[in-house]
């Protein structure tokens, strides 16, 4: 295969390293595209998984014929660094190496590899079989060809890969979501709203708005003919006042917000019906695509 | 009318103070509920508006028979403080006083009123005729009865009023959205992604997610049986690392990010088709309600 070629479904043999929540969700996604289940191999050392899914427990046989090897093992730099060096020994020369990590960059994971240009991060948004986004995060060593083959693989399957140009803590989606989470915790801790009220606010305002148009596009529309620049001229004072007043919250026991917020969340939601959530999310994504294609 | 009574459509006479974008959008919303257009009065001193909408230019006649007076004039404390004192002179005794301000709390606006218990903020999310959310923000002087009548008015009309228990800068929705905007600007300024890529990331991940379940509910689901507490135990390290690394951005000319980000936004979007945006947003809200009612 030359590096510029698209990977066709008939050629794909995917090996998933790690069969936790993310791994199994990726398995569901790949199985909806692959010609037959024998083209998907899952490597996991936990024996108890073998009862409900076909597993490889020998790494060389798991990766020996793969065209894509996708890792979602423990979030532990030592584990990832070691396993990629081993995978590299046994995988075909042109196989793509993807890590689903949410925090350990490819430049760290590839440290014991002979050829670091083959590895990059392909970070999904949970759950991967529903959410279109894949953050594609190369290290400075990753080759352009590997980035291109990765992006075209996902585009051809109707997903939304976005290349993150610099490795940074948490990549993009989590950084943004956690910035909003921090202020959410601050406002509940300050007694301004409850956990459930805060969620209702997001669900009935910026959630539906951002499903349709991201923050820049939204505020650009909000500024009328003058766009984002006019918006910031009009309301920049309020924006800065809010930024100056953002709460400082920390993670960890004894910070004073955990017990109350965990309790409020449990009482409000019990165990969330993720089936309902996923069905609804799918329909939201469908109507956005439908209206977009109408123009 | 006793304070506990619901306001029925046949009794409502609404006066809007100010006919800018927000005022006209509220006018569209009210007209979809009111029995006839004569029950809606708009007060604005600009003569050029009279060509397309029925306007009152004398305040006493505009508010004299109103059951609700809703203000969306200039974001200027002196203007609002003065006009509420004048409105109070001429409005019926039990009329509700609502300000659509995004930044000037009722405790400031009511300073020259004889009876500050009548005024509160009813802050919409733009555009009000589409977005279900209304942030209801009483001052410490606002009476419970006024809050209750306001909430029940909006509930009866299928909207989502949420009472914000303490006056704070930007209330809740804008604070949350601006926290995410700040980090968005930082990531574009740092060359991690472009304006358009950042929007695509939000549109294909947290936008659709939060349209269905707010941040607390989402992360509570993300933690499985252990809920939000388990989620924070698993991934709290990454959350804190992201919080520690959030960018510090300021509003105002000469900050170094404006020119490039405004230019990128203009090039990416030109003038946004708000008709398409609003149609799509409506459908997103509809499918969420539909799935919710199926259970």
């Amino acid at each position: 295969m030359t590096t510029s070629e698209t990977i066709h479904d008939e050629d794909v043999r995917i090996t998933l390293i790690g069969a936790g929540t993310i791994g199994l969700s990726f398995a569901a996604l790949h199985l909806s595209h692959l010609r037959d289940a024998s083209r998907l191999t899952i490597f996991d050392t936990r024996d108890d998984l073998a009862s409900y899914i076909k597993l490889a427990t020998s790494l060389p046989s798991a990766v020996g014929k793969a065209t894509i090897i996708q890792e979602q093992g423990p979030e532990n730099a030592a584990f990832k660094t070691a396993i990629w060096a081993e995978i590299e020994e046994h995988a075909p020369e042109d196989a793509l190496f993807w890590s689903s990590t949410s925090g350990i960059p490819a430049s760290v994971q590839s440290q014991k590899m002979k050829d670091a240009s083959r590895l990059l991060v392909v970070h999904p948004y949970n759950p991967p079989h529903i959410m279109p986004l894949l953050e594609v995060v190369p290290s400075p060593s990753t080759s352009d060809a590997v980035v291109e083959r990765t992006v075209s693989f996902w585009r051809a399957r109707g997903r939304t890969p976005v290349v993150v140009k610099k490795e940074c803590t948490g990549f993009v989606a989590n950084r943004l979501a956690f910035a909003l989470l921090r202020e959410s915790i601050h406002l509940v801790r300050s007694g301004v709203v409850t956990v459930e009220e805060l969620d209702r606010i997001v669900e009935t305002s910026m959630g539906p708005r951002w499903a349709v148009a991201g923050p820049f596009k939204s505020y650009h529309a909000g500024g009328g003919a003058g766009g984002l620049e006019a918006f910031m001229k009009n309301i920049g004072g309020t924006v800065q006042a809010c930024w100056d007043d953002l709460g400082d919250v920390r993670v960890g026991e004894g910070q004073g917000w955990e017990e109350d917020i965990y309790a409020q969340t449990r009482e409000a939601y019990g165990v969330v019906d993720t089936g309902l959530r996923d069905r609804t999310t799918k329909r939201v994504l469908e109507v956005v695509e439908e209206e977009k294609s109408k123009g």
Side-chain angles (χ1 to χ4, degrees), chain A:
Chain A
M1 180 190 289
T2 70
T3 52
S4 64
E5 265 179 83
T6 297
I7 300 171
H8 296 289
D9 280 346
E10 54 266 39
D11 305 321
V12 178
R13 290 179 187 277
I14 297 173
T15 297
L16 297 173
I17 309 290
T21 316
I22 300 295
L24 294 177
S25 182
F26 264 124
L29 173 57
H30 290 309
L31 286 171
S32 71
H33 291 293
L34 289 172
R35 213 170 40 173
D36 55 82
S38 72
R39 292 174 173 273
L40 181 68
T41 304
I42 299 183
F43 173 76
D44 200 295
T45 51
R46 290 181 297 165
D47 280 341
D48 59 327
L49 288 164
S51 55
Y52 64 98
I53 203 152
K54 186 173 173 285
L55 282 172
T57 50
S58 137
L59 190 66
S61 73
V63 305
K65 290 181 179 173
T67 54
I68 294 168
I69 295 151
Q70 200 172 1
E71 176 277 328
Q72 36 276 315
E75 282 293 88
N76 172 320
F79 167 83
K80 291 184 199 286
T81 308
I83 207 161
W84 283 120
E86 197 183 345
I87 288 169
E88 193 183 28
E89 293 296 314
H90 301 287
E93 211 167 281
D94 59 1
L96 291 168
F97 293 172
W98 297 343
S99 172
S100 303
T101 182
S102 62
I104 303 168
S107 57
V108 170
Q109 296 192 37
S110 63
Q111 273 167 3
K112 293 193 177 160
M113 289 174 72
K114 287 183 194 123
D115 179 6
S117 75
R118 303 180 64 181
L119 180 67
L120 46 61
V121 168
V122 177
H123 179 237
Y125 200 81
N126 195 35
H129 65 286
I130 306 281
M131 287 296 174
L133 176 66
L134 295 150
E135 292 180 282
V136 174
V137 195
S139 79
S141 310
T142 310
S143 77
D144 290 348
V146 164
V147 174
E148 280 159 30
R149 286 171 64 204
T150 301
V151 166
S152 72
F153 176 89
W154 288 111
R155 279 224 183 102
R157 283 153 189 83
R159 318 304 285 191
T160 308
V162 176
V163 179
V164 174
K165 290 181 203 70
K166 290 180 185 173
E167 293 184 319
C168 62
T169 308
F171 315 131
V172 174
N174 277 346
R175 287 178 79 102
L176 297 177
F178 293 160
L180 188 138
L181 176 66
R182 189 173 78 146
E183 187 58 14
S184 301
I185 293 170
H186 169 67
L187 289 169
V188 173
R189 179 180 63 171
S190 309
V192 172
V193 279
T194 65
V195 157
E196 205 169 1
E197 286 165 346
L198 188 131
D199 279 346
R200 285 293 279 160
I201 286 173
V202 174
E203 291 159 14
T204 54
S205 60
M206 66 209 80
R209 163 51 36 82
W210 288 340
V212 177
F216 289 114
K217 190 174 185 181
S218 291
Y219 292 129
H220 188 60
L228 183 65
E229 185 167 3
F231 173 85
M232 291 304 287
K233 284 218 166 92
N234 288 341
I235 205 173
T238 305
V239 173
Q240 184 64 53
C242 288
W243 289 351
D244 290 340
D245 199 45
L246 290 178
D248 187 16
V249 176
R250 292 195 64 80
V251 175
E253 278 174 48
Q255 295 295 318
W257 58 265
E258 300 93 329
E259 206 172 318
D260 175 49
I261 286 184
Y262 296 156
Q264 280 194 42
T265 310
R266 273 192 304 270
E267 274 159 42
Y269 303 120
V271 175
V272 177
D273 180 350
T274 53
L276 172 62
R277 179 198 67 181
D278 291 350
R279 272 196 310 281
T280 312
T281 309
K282 265 189 176 173
R283 290 201 61 200
V284 165
L285 292 163
E286 277 162 18
V287 298
V288 172
E289 280 309 307
E290 227 175 273
E291 292 296 328
K292 204 181 281 174
S293 67
K294 282 190 212 165

